[in-house]
Structure formats: structure tokens, C-alpha cells
Amino acid sequence: MTTILVDADGCPVIQETIALANEFKLPCVLICDTAHEMHREGAETITVSKGADAVDFVLVNRIKKGDIVITQDYGLAAMALAKQGLPIDQNGRLYTNENIDQLLAARHQAQKIRRAGGRLRGPRKRTAEQTEGFVSSLRNLCDSL
């Protein structure tokens, strides 16, 4: 059975994810570290120690073929794809083998700019349209299972 796994640290669509998981009768697992500890009705929560990529490693070890992974981390999305998971970001963009290399390259370039002292714009304020796009994409993904 497909499970929805959520990289829950800073995820803005947790409630929407849980609602859709319950609607489709899919298990939902929130994985967070102790700095973001949370418990939501309708989902299992796994809390891990704080540390670089601690949540990512626990999440990756739980992925089975066909599991849905919600993350905004390109590296985690790449690992999910390698395990034949179905990664999606908080705006509804599906990570695929066709787009992940470009996204990782852009992330690498941004890291180089920051390390050199450069500054980049931060993310814009979240909109209702982004949440609606996420819900629509996740619903389509669940429908296709």
C-alpha cells in the first residue's frame, strides 16, 4: 500500500496532506526533528534528533516503491526518485527523472554564489494559489494509484 511520507520540518501543507491521505485512506507519516516537533490527528509522527539531514535519512530509509514523498529538498527528492518514490513539492510540482538534474544544478549554483558572499532573493510569501496547486497535484497523484 502506498504511504505518504512528509518531510515535515517547515512544510506549509501538512493539514492539506493529512486531509487527502484520510480521504484516499492512505497512511500518512510526518517526519520532523525535535526543533519542529508536532503531532496531528490522522497522521503518524516520527520525531528524530536535530542534525543535518537527520530527517532526510530516516525518511529515505522508509520509502518503498510507489510511496508519495512531500519535500521541498531537491536532494531528498533525488533519493526518493532513486527508490522509485513519487516526490512532490509543497506547490504541487512533481519531481521527475527529467527535471531533477536541472534542479540540483540550480541548487549547486546558488550554494556557490552564497559561499562567495553573494546574496539571493528568499522565497516569496506563500499564496492560496500555491496551496490549491499542491492539493490539485496531490489529488491527481492519489487518483492515479
Side-chain angles (χ1 to χ4, degrees):
M1 171 182 249
T2 297
T3 298
I4 299 178
L5 301 164
V6 182
D7 177 2
D9 291 344
C11 181
V13 290
I14 290 172
Q15 285 309 121
E16 293 83 359
T17 301
I18 294 169
L20 280 169
N22 290 330
E23 178 182 328
F24 284 91
K25 297 181 178 23
L26 298 173
C28 183
V29 180
L30 309 176
I31 304 173
C32 59
D33 67 25
T34 55
H36 300 94
E37 192 168 347
M38 66 185 70
H39 297 280
R40 301 287 195 285
E41 191 172 323
E44 175 189 354
T45 300
I46 297 173
T47 304
V48 301
S49 299
K50 279 196 318 189
D53 301 321
V55 168
D56 296 354
F57 293 128
V58 169
L59 197 151
V60 163
N61 286 326
R62 294 182 67 96
I63 297 172
K64 292 184 231 53
K65 182 179 179 177
D67 283 347
I68 297 170
V69 177
I70 299 171
T71 185
Q72 50 192 323
D73 181 322
Y74 299 158
L76 177 55
M79 289 186 281
L81 285 169
K83 292 193 77 173
Q84 296 183 316
L86 304 167
I88 180 174
D89 77 5
Q90 74 279 2
N91 298 327
R93 173 180 48 197
L94 296 173
Y95 298 103
T96 66
N97 290 318
E98 288 71 38
N99 69 11
I100 196 66
D101 287 339
Q102 178 184 357
L103 294 169
L104 289 168
R107 179 182 77 165
H108 177 71
Q109 188 62 34
Q111 288 171 336
K112 283 175 49 177
I113 291 169
R114 284 192 295 276
R115 274 196 300 265
R119 294 183 52 96
L120 300 169
R121 281 188 175 172
R124 295 180 185 194
K125 185 175 174 166
R126 185 157 183 84
T127 66
E129 289 79 20
Q130 289 170 309
T131 300
E132 290 167 12
F134 169 78
V135 169
S136 176
S137 290
L138 183 57
R139 180 178 301 283
N140 289 339
L141 195 55
C142 291
D143 272 336
S144 71
L145 299 174

